[in-house]
Amino acid sequence: MERILIVVERESQYELATELIVRLTSFTCKVHVTSSNVDETWCDRLKHKALEWNIPFINPNNFQIFRSGNKKFSLAFFFVYLIGKFSGANSNFNLGAFLSLKRQITDNLYHSEKILECCEPEYLLVFEDGIGGPLELISAARKRNIIVAVCPYEI
């Protein structure tokens, strides 16, 4: 039985997600749904939608699944490079904003890795891989050699 994790980021993706979930479950695939959006209102709506779809929802805010392990930051070299490149007397480099962004990316990567550990998918299905997509989840999946499929929903 193949395991697939579907990432739904907005309500406009429900129709395509519904169609894919129906088809995948008819082939006896094990399908989970999650989001990289940690807004509690959104997660609650997606959880209820997952109940309608009759598939498990992995809540990115469920810190029980994130308890173990330490946060790792594998992009340290990149951030050191950025600081060196954009700091200086004539730079408008904002170290506070930079550190906040670093913390946010680190947390998102960590949570993405834990979500993938939770359901151990063989495939990650996302509806967007651009700037508005779940980039940290895609990165974590590629690191684990999980096949990432992008199914554009607004074409």
Side-chain angles (χ1 to χ4, degrees):
M1 179 182 305
E2 294 177 315
R3 295 176 311 278
I4 300 167
L5 178 61
I6 297 179
V7 182
V8 179
E9 300 291 291
R10 50 188 64 78
E11 286 183 20
S12 59
Q13 298 172 347
Y14 280 172
E15 185 179 342
L16 180 58
T18 300
E19 183 178 335
L20 290 168
I21 290 165
V22 167
R23 289 181 186 205
L24 291 168
T25 54
S26 73
F27 291 115
T28 65
C29 294
K30 179 70 174 167
V31 179
H32 290 76
V33 68
T34 192
S35 179
S36 64
N37 182 346
V38 295
D39 177 70
E40 289 193 34
T41 304
W42 167 247
C43 288
D44 193 45
R45 287 198 314 250
L46 188 55
K47 178 182 177 181
H48 285 79
K49 194 66 177 173
L51 288 172
E52 287 177 29
W53 290 326
N54 198 27
I55 62 171
F57 170 65
I58 299 176
N59 189 338
N61 293 313
N62 181 356
F63 289 99
Q64 285 183 328
I65 65 173
F66 304 132
R67 268 191 294 200
S68 64
N70 294 325
K71 293 180 186 176
K72 295 181 214 165
F73 192 67
S74 60
L75 298 177
F77 176 78
F78 175 70
F79 284 121
V80 169
Y81 166 78
L82 285 179
I83 288 174
K85 183 160 179 75
F86 295 108
S87 61
N90 296 328
S91 173
N92 289 332
F93 183 77
N94 183 332
L95 184 60
F98 174 80
L99 293 174
S100 176
L101 176 64
K102 175 184 176 247
R103 186 173 33 259
Q104 181 182 3
I105 291 172
T106 302
D107 289 347
N108 290 347
L109 279 170
Y110 176 75
H111 289 158
S112 296
E113 290 170 3
K114 291 300 179 181
I115 286 171
L116 295 175
E117 279 179 23
C118 184
C119 67
E120 298 179 348
E122 296 169 284
Y123 303 94
L124 177 68
L125 179 61
V126 299
F127 299 119
E128 188 173 345
D129 66 345
I131 194 71
L135 301 178
E136 291 89 354
L137 251 168
I138 292 170
S139 175
R142 287 186 174 153
K143 217 188 293 185
R144 292 172 161 259
N145 294 319
I146 296 170
I147 297 169
V148 177
V150 181
C151 187
Y153 71 100
E154 291 182 329
I155 292 180

